[in-house]
mmCIF file of all heavy atoms in Angstrom:
data_model
loop_
_atom_site.group_PDB
_atom_site.id
_atom_site.type_symbol
_atom_site.label_atom_id
_atom_site.label_comp_id
_atom_site.label_asym_id
_atom_site.label_seq_id
_atom_site.Cartn_x
_atom_site.Cartn_y
_atom_site.Cartn_z
ATOM 1 N N GLY H 292 165.635 97.190 85.386
ATOM 2 C CA GLY H 292 164.366 97.870 85.215
ATOM 3 C C GLY H 292 163.249 97.003 84.673
ATOM 4 O O GLY H 292 162.218 97.520 84.248
ATOM 5 N N GLY H 293 163.430 95.710 84.630
ATOM 6 C CA GLY H 293 162.368 94.801 84.200
ATOM 7 C C GLY H 293 162.515 94.269 82.793
ATOM 8 O O GLY H 293 161.813 93.334 82.417
ATOM 9 N N THR H 294 163.419 94.848 82.002
ATOM 10 C CA THR H 294 163.715 94.306 80.667
ATOM 11 C C THR H 294 165.210 94.449 80.410
ATOM 12 O O THR H 294 165.832 95.432 80.812
ATOM 13 C CB THR H 294 162.951 95.038 79.532
ATOM 14 O OG1 THR H 294 163.306 96.417 79.542
ATOM 15 C CG2 THR H 294 161.452 94.881 79.669
ATOM 16 N N VAL H 295 165.758 93.453 79.731
ATOM 17 C CA VAL H 295 167.184 93.472 79.419
ATOM 18 C C VAL H 295 167.425 92.495 78.261
ATOM 19 O O VAL H 295 166.706 91.503 78.112
ATOM 20 C CB VAL H 295 168.044 93.108 80.660
ATOM 21 C CG1 VAL H 295 167.774 91.696 81.128
ATOM 22 C CG2 VAL H 295 169.519 93.313 80.390
ATOM 23 N N HIS H 296 168.412 92.783 77.430
ATOM 24 C CA HIS H 296 168.757 91.859 76.355
ATOM 25 C C HIS H 296 169.330 90.587 76.974
ATOM 26 O O HIS H 296 170.089 90.637 77.938
ATOM 27 C CB HIS H 296 169.761 92.495 75.392
ATOM 28 C CG HIS H 296 169.838 91.765 74.094
ATOM 29 N ND1 HIS H 296 170.611 90.653 73.932
ATOM 30 C CD2 HIS H 296 169.192 91.964 72.921
ATOM 31 C CE1 HIS H 296 170.465 90.195 72.700
ATOM 32 N NE2 HIS H 296 169.601 90.980 72.065
ATOM 33 N N GLN H 297 168.959 89.449 76.410
ATOM 34 C CA GLN H 297 169.385 88.179 77.008
ATOM 35 C C GLN H 297 170.896 88.028 77.024
ATOM 36 O O GLN H 297 171.433 87.408 77.949
ATOM 37 C CB GLN H 297 168.726 86.991 76.312
ATOM 38 C CG GLN H 297 169.215 86.689 74.933
ATOM 39 C CD GLN H 297 168.494 85.501 74.328
ATOM 40 O OE1 GLN H 297 167.403 85.145 74.745
ATOM 41 N NE2 GLN H 297 169.096 84.894 73.347
ATOM 42 N N ASP H 298 171.605 88.594 76.071
ATOM 43 C CA ASP H 298 173.071 88.496 76.089
ATOM 44 C C ASP H 298 173.646 89.160 77.339
ATOM 45 O O ASP H 298 174.566 88.623 77.974
ATOM 46 C CB ASP H 298 173.676 89.136 74.840
ATOM 47 C CG ASP H 298 173.383 88.373 73.567
ATOM 48 O OD1 ASP H 298 172.958 87.196 73.657
ATOM 49 O OD2 ASP H 298 173.561 88.953 72.481
ATOM 50 N N VAL H 299 173.101 90.313 77.684
ATOM 51 C CA VAL H 299 173.557 91.033 78.876
ATOM 52 C C VAL H 299 173.200 90.241 80.124
ATOM 53 O O VAL H 299 174.030 90.042 81.015
ATOM 54 C CB VAL H 299 172.935 92.449 78.920
ATOM 55 C CG1 VAL H 299 173.258 93.147 80.227
ATOM 56 C CG2 VAL H 299 173.400 93.272 77.732
ATOM 57 N N ALA H 300 171.954 89.784 80.198
ATOM 58 C CA ALA H 300 171.493 89.042 81.376
ATOM 59 C C ALA H 300 172.282 87.752 81.559
ATOM 60 O O ALA H 300 172.701 87.428 82.680
ATOM 61 C CB ALA H 300 170.004 88.737 81.257
ATOM 62 N N LEU H 301 172.508 87.022 80.478
ATOM 63 C CA LEU H 301 173.224 85.749 80.589
ATOM 64 C C LEU H 301 174.698 85.958 80.929
ATOM 65 O O LEU H 301 175.289 85.152 81.649
ATOM 66 C CB LEU H 301 173.056 84.924 79.318
ATOM 67 C CG LEU H 301 171.639 84.377 79.099
ATOM 68 C CD1 LEU H 301 171.546 83.675 77.756
ATOM 69 C CD2 LEU H 301 171.232 83.445 80.224
ATOM 70 N N ARG H 302 175.296 87.042 80.437
ATOM 71 C CA ARG H 302 176.681 87.339 80.798
ATOM 72 C C ARG H 302 176.773 87.628 82.299
ATOM 73 O O ARG H 302 177.622 87.082 83.004
ATOM 74 C CB ARG H 302 177.230 88.514 79.991
ATOM 75 C CG ARG H 302 178.691 88.808 80.307
ATOM 76 C CD ARG H 302 179.267 89.972 79.516
ATOM 77 N NE ARG H 302 178.601 91.212 79.864
ATOM 78 C CZ ARG H 302 177.824 91.919 79.047
ATOM 79 N NH1 ARG H 302 177.643 91.536 77.808
ATOM 80 N NH2 ARG H 302 177.248 93.036 79.446
ATOM 81 N N GLU H 303 175.866 88.488 82.803
ATOM 82 C CA GLU H 303 175.873 88.804 84.230
ATOM 83 C C GLU H 303 175.542 87.569 85.069
ATOM 84 O O GLU H 303 176.137 87.357 86.132
ATOM 85 C CB GLU H 303 174.884 89.930 84.529
ATOM 86 C CG GLU H 303 175.334 91.270 83.984
ATOM 87 C CD GLU H 303 174.372 92.397 84.317
ATOM 88 O OE1 GLU H 303 173.607 92.268 85.310
ATOM 89 O OE2 GLU H 303 174.393 93.404 83.600
ATOM 90 N N PHE H 304 174.609 86.762 84.588
ATOM 91 C CA PHE H 304 174.249 85.530 85.290
ATOM 92 C C PHE H 304 175.473 84.620 85.394
ATOM 93 O O PHE H 304 175.757 84.060 86.445
ATOM 94 C CB PHE H 304 173.105 84.829 84.554
ATOM 95 C CG PHE H 304 172.704 83.521 85.161
ATOM 96 C CD1 PHE H 304 171.921 83.476 86.303
ATOM 97 C CD2 PHE H 304 173.104 82.320 84.587
ATOM 98 C CE1 PHE H 304 171.555 82.258 86.874
ATOM 99 C CE2 PHE H 304 172.744 81.112 85.147
ATOM 100 C CZ PHE H 304 171.960 81.078 86.291
ATOM 101 N N GLY H 305 176.205 84.482 84.306
ATOM 102 C CA GLY H 305 177.412 83.658 84.315
ATOM 103 C C GLY H 305 178.463 84.190 85.266
ATOM 104 O O GLY H 305 179.117 83.422 85.981
ATOM 105 N N GLU H 306 178.623 85.521 85.298
ATOM 106 C CA GLU H 306 179.605 86.119 86.203
ATOM 107 C C GLU H 306 179.220 85.888 87.659
ATOM 108 O O GLU H 306 180.089 85.687 88.509
ATOM 109 C CB GLU H 306 179.730 87.619 85.917
ATOM 110 C CG GLU H 306 180.390 87.912 84.572
ATOM 111 C CD GLU H 306 180.264 89.361 84.150
ATOM 112 O OE1 GLU H 306 179.575 90.159 84.832
ATOM 113 O OE2 GLU H 306 180.833 89.704 83.096
ATOM 114 N N GLU H 307 177.914 85.911 87.957
ATOM 115 C CA GLU H 307 177.458 85.728 89.341
ATOM 116 C C GLU H 307 177.458 84.270 89.781
ATOM 117 O O GLU H 307 177.712 83.971 90.943
ATOM 118 C CB GLU H 307 176.048 86.293 89.514
ATOM 119 C CG GLU H 307 175.988 87.798 89.506
ATOM 120 C CD GLU H 307 174.590 88.333 89.746
ATOM 121 O OE1 GLU H 307 173.713 87.572 90.225
ATOM 122 O OE2 GLU H 307 174.378 89.520 89.461
ATOM 123 N N THR H 308 177.136 83.370 88.858
ATOM 124 C CA THR H 308 176.939 81.968 89.242
ATOM 125 C C THR H 308 178.020 81.024 88.734
ATOM 126 O O THR H 308 178.121 79.895 89.210
ATOM 127 C CB THR H 308 175.592 81.452 88.712
ATOM 128 O OG1 THR H 308 175.623 81.460 87.284
ATOM 129 C CG2 THR H 308 174.427 82.290 89.221
ATOM 130 N N GLY H 309 178.780 81.457 87.745
ATOM 131 C CA GLY H 309 179.765 80.578 87.128
ATOM 132 C C GLY H 309 179.167 79.663 86.071
ATOM 133 O O GLY H 309 179.852 78.791 85.551
ATOM 134 N N LEU H 310 177.885 79.851 85.765
ATOM 135 C CA LEU H 310 177.201 79.023 84.761
ATOM 136 C C LEU H 310 177.073 79.816 83.460
ATOM 137 O O LEU H 310 176.387 80.830 83.412
ATOM 138 C CB LEU H 310 175.810 78.607 85.251
ATOM 139 C CG LEU H 310 175.783 77.767 86.527
ATOM 140 C CD1 LEU H 310 174.350 77.546 86.975
ATOM 141 C CD2 LEU H 310 176.480 76.438 86.299
ATOM 142 N N PHE H 311 177.753 79.338 82.430
ATOM 143 C CA PHE H 311 177.740 80.010 81.142
ATOM 144 C C PHE H 311 177.170 79.066 80.080
ATOM 145 O O PHE H 311 176.995 77.873 80.317
ATOM 146 C CB PHE H 311 179.165 80.422 80.739
ATOM 147 C CG PHE H 311 179.763 81.483 81.613
ATOM 148 C CD1 PHE H 311 180.525 81.147 82.719
ATOM 149 C CD2 PHE H 311 179.557 82.819 81.321
ATOM 150 C CE1 PHE H 311 181.082 82.129 83.524
ATOM 151 C CE2 PHE H 311 180.113 83.815 82.124
ATOM 152 C CZ PHE H 311 180.874 83.458 83.225
ATOM 153 N N GLY H 312 176.933 79.600 78.908
ATOM 154 C CA GLY H 312 176.520 78.790 77.758
ATOM 155 C C GLY H 312 175.217 78.059 77.963
ATOM 156 O O GLY H 312 174.231 78.647 78.410
ATOM 157 N N PRO H 313 175.202 76.762 77.673
ATOM 158 C CA PRO H 313 173.958 75.988 77.742
ATOM 159 C C PRO H 313 173.304 76.006 79.120
ATOM 160 O O PRO H 313 172.078 75.978 79.223
ATOM 161 C CB PRO H 313 174.386 74.565 77.376
ATOM 162 C CG PRO H 313 175.659 74.714 76.637
ATOM 163 C CD PRO H 313 176.319 75.951 77.180
ATOM 164 N N ASP H 314 174.110 76.084 80.182
ATOM 165 C CA ASP H 314 173.535 76.118 81.526
ATOM 166 C C ASP H 314 172.713 77.384 81.745
ATOM 167 O O ASP H 314 171.632 77.346 82.317
ATOM 168 C CB ASP H 314 174.626 76.011 82.592
ATOM 169 C CG ASP H 314 175.320 74.666 82.579
ATOM 170 O OD1 ASP H 314 174.663 73.660 82.241
ATOM 171 O OD2 ASP H 314 176.518 74.625 82.894
ATOM 172 N N GLY H 315 173.226 78.510 81.276
ATOM 173 C CA GLY H 315 172.489 79.767 81.391
ATOM 174 C C GLY H 315 171.206 79.737 80.584
ATOM 175 O O GLY H 315 170.157 80.201 81.048
ATOM 176 N N PHE H 316 171.273 79.186 79.379
ATOM 177 C CA PHE H 316 170.062 79.071 78.560
ATOM 178 C C PHE H 316 169.041 78.144 79.212
ATOM 179 O O PHE H 316 167.840 78.396 79.144
ATOM 180 C CB PHE H 316 170.398 78.579 77.151
ATOM 181 C CG PHE H 316 170.934 79.663 76.268
ATOM 182 C CD1 PHE H 316 172.292 79.755 76.018
ATOM 183 C CD2 PHE H 316 170.083 80.598 75.702
ATOM 184 C CE1 PHE H 316 172.797 80.755 75.210
ATOM 185 C CE2 PHE H 316 170.574 81.611 74.895
ATOM 186 C CZ PHE H 316 171.939 81.696 74.647
ATOM 187 N N TYR H 317 169.510 77.084 79.856
ATOM 188 C CA TYR H 317 168.598 76.170 80.547
ATOM 189 C C TYR H 317 167.844 76.903 81.656
ATOM 190 O O TYR H 317 166.627 76.764 81.801
ATOM 191 C CB TYR H 317 169.363 74.975 81.118
ATOM 192 C CG TYR H 317 168.486 74.035 81.899
ATOM 193 C CD1 TYR H 317 167.653 73.135 81.255
ATOM 194 C CD2 TYR H 317 168.463 74.071 83.292
ATOM 195 C CE1 TYR H 317 166.827 72.275 81.970
ATOM 196 C CE2 TYR H 317 167.639 73.222 84.010
ATOM 197 C CZ TYR H 317 166.829 72.332 83.346
ATOM 198 O OH TYR H 317 166.013 71.498 84.065
ATOM 199 N N VAL H 318 168.559 77.699 82.429
ATOM 200 C CA VAL H 318 167.921 78.457 83.516
ATOM 201 C C VAL H 318 166.971 79.496 82.928
ATOM 202 O O VAL H 318 165.853 79.673 83.425
ATOM 203 C CB VAL H 318 168.978 79.106 84.430
ATOM 204 C CG1 VAL H 318 168.326 80.037 85.455
ATOM 205 C CG2 VAL H 318 169.806 78.033 85.125
ATOM 206 N N MET H 319 167.376 80.172 81.854
ATOM 207 C CA MET H 319 166.512 81.168 81.217
ATOM 208 C C MET H 319 165.221 80.514 80.725
ATOM 209 O O MET H 319 164.120 81.033 80.958
ATOM 210 C CB MET H 319 167.240 81.835 80.054
ATOM 211 C CG MET H 319 166.412 82.899 79.340
ATOM 212 S SD MET H 319 167.295 83.647 77.951
ATOM 213 C CE MET H 319 167.312 82.276 76.796
ATOM 214 N N ASN H 320 165.338 79.382 80.065
ATOM 215 C CA ASN H 320 164.149 78.686 79.567
ATOM 216 C C ASN H 320 163.287 78.155 80.717
ATOM 217 O O ASN H 320 162.062 78.157 80.633
ATOM 218 C CB ASN H 320 164.535 77.559 78.617
ATOM 219 C CG ASN H 320 165.077 78.086 77.310
ATOM 220 O OD1 ASN H 320 164.747 79.178 76.881
ATOM 221 N ND2 ASN H 320 165.941 77.302 76.681
ATOM 222 N N SER H 321 163.929 77.724 81.799
ATOM 223 C CA SER H 321 163.180 77.271 82.969
ATOM 224 C C SER H 321 162.424 78.435 83.609
ATOM 225 O O SER H 321 161.290 78.266 84.063
ATOM 226 C CB SER H 321 164.116 76.631 83.988
ATOM 227 O OG SER H 321 164.703 75.465 83.448
ATOM 228 N N ALA H 322 163.045 79.605 83.649
ATOM 229 C CA ALA H 322 162.370 80.793 84.197
ATOM 230 C C ALA H 322 161.159 81.158 83.348
ATOM 231 O O ALA H 322 160.113 81.540 83.877
ATOM 232 C CB ALA H 322 163.344 81.964 84.276
ATOM 233 N N ALA H 323 161.288 81.015 82.032
ATOM 234 C CA ALA H 323 160.147 81.290 81.149
ATOM 235 C C ALA H 323 159.060 80.235 81.339
ATOM 236 O O ALA H 323 157.872 80.557 81.391
ATOM 237 C CB ALA H 323 160.613 81.341 79.698
ATOM 238 N N ALA H 324 159.449 78.983 81.493
ATOM 239 C CA ALA H 324 158.473 77.911 81.694
ATOM 240 C C ALA H 324 157.747 78.073 83.028
ATOM 241 O O ALA H 324 156.587 77.678 83.159
ATOM 242 C CB ALA H 324 159.156 76.547 81.633
ATOM 243 N N ASP H 325 158.419 78.681 83.997
ATOM 244 C CA ASP H 325 157.833 78.909 85.313
ATOM 245 C C ASP H 325 157.077 80.240 85.369
ATOM 246 O O ASP H 325 156.641 80.664 86.428
ATOM 247 C CB ASP H 325 158.940 78.886 86.374
ATOM 248 C CG ASP H 325 158.436 78.663 87.774
ATOM 249 O OD1 ASP H 325 157.427 77.948 87.946
ATOM 250 O OD2 ASP H 325 159.045 79.219 88.712
ATOM 251 N N TYR H 326 156.953 80.912 84.242
ATOM 252 C CA TYR H 326 156.247 82.199 84.113
ATOM 253 C C TYR H 326 156.866 83.300 84.953
ATOM 254 O O TYR H 326 156.187 84.218 85.386
ATOM 255 C CB TYR H 326 154.747 82.050 84.444
ATOM 256 C CG TYR H 326 154.064 81.038 83.583
ATOM 257 C CD1 TYR H 326 153.679 79.808 84.104
ATOM 258 C CD2 TYR H 326 153.830 81.298 82.238
ATOM 259 C CE1 TYR H 326 153.069 78.851 83.304
ATOM 260 C CE2 TYR H 326 153.219 80.353 81.432
ATOM 261 C CZ TYR H 326 152.840 79.135 81.968
ATOM 262 O OH TYR H 326 152.246 78.205 81.169
ATOM 263 N N ARG H 327 158.173 83.226 85.174
ATOM 264 C CA ARG H 327 158.868 84.286 85.910
ATOM 265 C C ARG H 327 159.386 85.352 84.960
ATOM 266 O O ARG H 327 159.479 86.526 85.328
ATOM 267 C CB ARG H 327 160.041 83.696 86.700
ATOM 268 C CG ARG H 327 159.681 82.639 87.727
ATOM 269 C CD ARG H 327 159.055 83.201 88.980
ATOM 270 N NE ARG H 327 159.857 84.228 89.628
ATOM 271 C CZ ARG H 327 160.869 83.989 90.461
ATOM 272 N NH1 ARG H 327 161.202 82.751 90.770
ATOM 273 N NH2 ARG H 327 161.527 84.978 91.000
ATOM 274 N N LEU H 328 159.750 84.917 83.729
ATOM 275 C CA LEU H 328 160.250 85.826 82.703
ATOM 276 C C LEU H 328 159.609 85.476 81.375
ATOM 277 O O LEU H 328 159.194 84.346 81.160
ATOM 278 C CB LEU H 328 161.769 85.681 82.530
ATOM 279 C CG LEU H 328 162.670 86.002 83.701
ATOM 280 C CD1 LEU H 328 164.107 85.632 83.350
ATOM 281 C CD2 LEU H 328 162.584 87.465 84.061
ATOM 282 N N THR H 329 159.583 86.464 80.485
ATOM 283 C CA THR H 329 159.258 86.172 79.094
ATOM 284 C C THR H 329 160.529 86.414 78.292
ATOM 285 O O THR H 329 161.362 87.235 78.649
ATOM 286 C CB THR H 329 158.120 87.060 78.550
ATOM 287 O OG1 THR H 329 158.502 88.429 78.653
ATOM 288 C CG2 THR H 329 156.831 86.820 79.309
#
């Protein structure tokens, strides 16, 4: 729905992509730097 706790999003992201931990945080921070997410 456009907002979600980062723990939930990163867990689902890891399940979908196989990238957990620092890799997920890197993508999250890159998405914020690209103005896709806050």
Side-chain angles (χ1 to χ4, degrees):
T294 59
V295 63
H296 197 277
Q297 72 180 21
D298 291 345
V299 173
L301 291 175
R302 182 180 64 247
E303 290 182 23
F304 177 78
E306 291 168 354
E307 288 183 16
T308 64
L310 299 174
F311 293 92
D314 294 328
F316 281 102
Y317 177 78
V318 173
M319 180 181 70
N320 290 333
S321 296
D325 199 33
Y326 302 107
R327 300 285 305 277
L328 298 173
T329 59

